[in-house]
Amino acid sequence: MNANKFYKLVDDANQELYPGCKKISTLSFTIRMYLLKCLYGWSKASFTALLELLKEAMPNLNIPVSFNKTKSMIKDLDLDYKKIDACPNNCMLFWKQHEKDEQCEFCGASRWIEYPEVGYHLEESKKVHKVPAKVLRHFPLIPRLKRLFMCSKTADTLRWHAGRRSREGRLRHPTDGQAWKDFDAKHPDFALETRNIRIGLASDEFNPFRTMSLSHNTWPVVLTIYNLVYLF
């Protein structure tokens, strides 16, 4: 993340939602509004209309005036994700040198699902619009790690295991475990730098819509930062 953007967000976090408001900041309110949009499937137009209504009813509210302004603020947090089209049979990603490919180079499956356009004036031309058959949503890791080190308290916590943990022989942190010690023995150069991040990876399939009548499923890949894990 650009440092100037980060410190601008710090300033936004200190801005009052309205004069005299101490409980919630402009940034916190905006993030929570965006979360509600994502959770309940609000359209961009409805989200903008709601912001406009709030601003009209309460002119002193210090909030973005549109969805695009809100999304710009979220992007500055580096909380956004990138959409990468994938083969429906999980063979490959349409990425980098394959970004413009129309078919999977391994199984030949089409990248797209084609639907007829809605509208009577398009029936003669039989135009279609293309929707990716499968999409990978990638949350970039490096900007998020950089952001952790931009906060002095978080940066200190990431290095807590190196000098401040108890060495009384009890398992209080992953660094006390045998797996951590074996990794350090195998990669001593990595272990010497206390700022290095230890990450655990896990993945599992689930249906995000909580109904078995839909065949849609999601495979989230979750990364856990072991530096921040405490066991008591």
Side-chain angles (χ1 to χ4, degrees):
M1 179 194 291
N2 184 287
N4 291 331
K5 289 183 178 180
F6 175 81
Y7 290 116
K8 180 182 181 301
L9 288 170
V10 172
D11 292 337
D12 290 341
N14 294 325
Q15 289 185 9
E16 296 180 345
L17 181 60
Y18 55 84
C21 178
K22 303 299 182 183
K23 188 175 181 180
I24 187 170
S25 67
T26 295
L27 181 61
S28 177
F29 180 84
T30 303
I31 292 174
R32 289 172 66 177
M33 285 287 291
Y34 190 83
L35 174 62
L36 290 175
K37 176 200 177 300
C38 297
L39 288 176
Y40 299 107
W42 300 349
S43 66
K44 297 178 183 178
S46 66
F47 187 82
T48 297
L50 176 58
L51 293 176
E52 291 173 348
L53 176 61
L54 290 172
K55 191 69 174 177
E56 181 180 348
M58 294 170 280
N60 290 330
L61 277 183
N62 185 18
I63 59 175
V65 295
S66 68
F67 169 78
N68 288 335
K69 293 286 186 181
T70 301
K71 191 171 183 180
S72 177
M73 184 180 292
I74 300 298
K75 282 187 175 180
D76 286 344
L77 286 169
D78 277 337
L79 294 176
D80 205 5
Y81 59 84
K82 298 178 181 179
K83 291 183 178 180
I84 304 174
D85 295 350
C87 168
N89 298 318
N90 304 316
C91 301
M92 62 173 284
L93 296 174
F94 295 98
W95 186 47
K96 291 187 176 180
Q97 69 270 26
H98 300 291
E99 186 175 358
K100 296 183 179 180
D101 291 0
E102 296 289 323
Q103 294 180 323
C104 174
E105 69 172 1
F106 299 101
C107 69
S110 174
R111 174 178 182 171
W112 311 104
I113 298 175
E114 297 183 351
Y115 295 98
E117 291 277 5
V118 178
Y120 293 105
H121 63 288
L122 296 174
E123 288 183 356
E124 292 183 1
S125 62
K126 297 181 180 179
K127 291 183 178 180
V128 297
H129 69 280
K130 296 179 178 180
V131 177
K134 184 170 287 189
V135 176
L136 168 71
R137 287 170 173 80
H138 174 232
F139 295 78
L141 175 63
I142 293 177
R144 286 165 168 78
L145 295 179
K146 287 182 177 179
R147 188 179 60 217
L148 290 175
F149 281 103
M150 284 183 173
C151 174
S152 58
K153 292 183 179 179
T154 307
D156 183 59
T157 303
L158 290 168
R159 301 191 303 270
W160 177 87
H161 66 277
R164 295 171 52 194
R165 65 184 178 89
S166 171
R167 301 179 184 274
E168 57 189 13
R170 296 183 181 179
L171 183 63
R172 297 184 180 274
H173 188 276
T175 191
D176 298 318
Q178 191 60 45
W180 188 298
K181 296 174 182 177
D182 289 344
F183 183 89
D184 284 355
K186 188 174 181 179
H187 305 281
D189 291 338
F190 183 92
L192 286 175
E193 176 52 72
T194 61
R195 292 172 296 182
N196 283 338
I197 305 297
R198 318 293 180 107
I199 294 176
L201 183 148
S203 180
D204 198 3
E205 177 186 18
F206 76 101
N207 187 320
F209 301 107
R210 301 180 183 178
T211 172
M212 299 306 295
S213 62
L214 295 177
S215 60
H216 179 87
N217 56 47
T218 298
W219 281 87
V221 178
V222 181
L223 294 177
T224 301
I225 299 178
Y226 288 143
N227 300 52
L228 298 175
V229 175
Y230 295 91
L231 302 176
F232 296 98

